Amino acid sequence: MVGRKREVRWTQRAVQDKLSIMEFWYLRNQSVSYSLKLERLFNKSLDLLSIHPEMGIIFSQKPPIQFKTVRGYRLYYIFDEKTITLITIWDTRRNPDKLKF
């Protein structure tokens, strides 16, 4: 089903991750510009993945989780014929041993 756009769904965890990232950059820079730029990049990547989900790197086979890296963040997701579900957004500077699904 390559070429057909899937519905993008966000888990509650992914929504919270995004909000935390946006807040961090807002507080650090005292401006919303970088937060908005990251949000646009995340959305653009998810839009592309909704059409071509196989382009992500395989993280695990069981469960079948893939990821795409966007500016130092990994978008972890699963997909089927109709949907792509964003599980979490992970800052690659964090300890990978703490990443749990």
Side-chain angles (χ1 to χ4, degrees):
M1 182 181 276
V2 173
R4 185 168 169 193
K5 193 169 184 176
R6 291 161 177 81
E7 175 188 1
V8 176
R9 295 183 181 167
W10 289 65
T11 62
Q12 192 63 33
R13 178 179 174 181
V15 170
Q16 185 57 48
D17 291 339
K18 182 180 90 165
L19 292 174
S20 295
I21 292 164
M22 300 299 123
E23 181 181 26
F24 169 81
W25 285 109
Y26 170 74
L27 293 173
R28 182 164 192 256
N29 297 338
Q30 296 297 304
S31 168
V32 296
S33 8
Y34 189 69
S35 297
L36 293 174
K37 181 177 184 175
L38 270 179
E39 185 173 32
R40 282 191 302 271
L41 290 171
F42 292 161
N43 290 337
K44 186 176 179 180
S45 292
L46 287 170
D47 196 42
L48 185 59
L49 286 170
S50 74
I51 299 168
H52 304 287
E54 309 83 11
M55 73 184 295
I57 297 171
I58 296 172
F59 176 73
S60 71
Q61 295 290 338
K62 293 187 181 187
I65 299 171
Q66 293 184 244
F67 71 86
K68 177 166 179 24
T69 303
V70 178
R71 289 281 171 107
Y73 295 94
R74 286 185 175 178
L75 307 178
Y76 286 92
Y77 64 94
I78 56 174
F79 70 95
D80 60 28
E81 292 179 6
K82 296 182 180 179
T83 61
I84 180 167
T85 303
L86 184 62
I87 301 168
T88 190
I89 303 173
W90 184 259
D91 186 337
T92 58
R93 296 169 292 183
R94 294 177 63 192
N95 183 347
D97 294 338
K98 293 186 178 184
L99 177 62
K100 306 285 186 231
F101 291 99

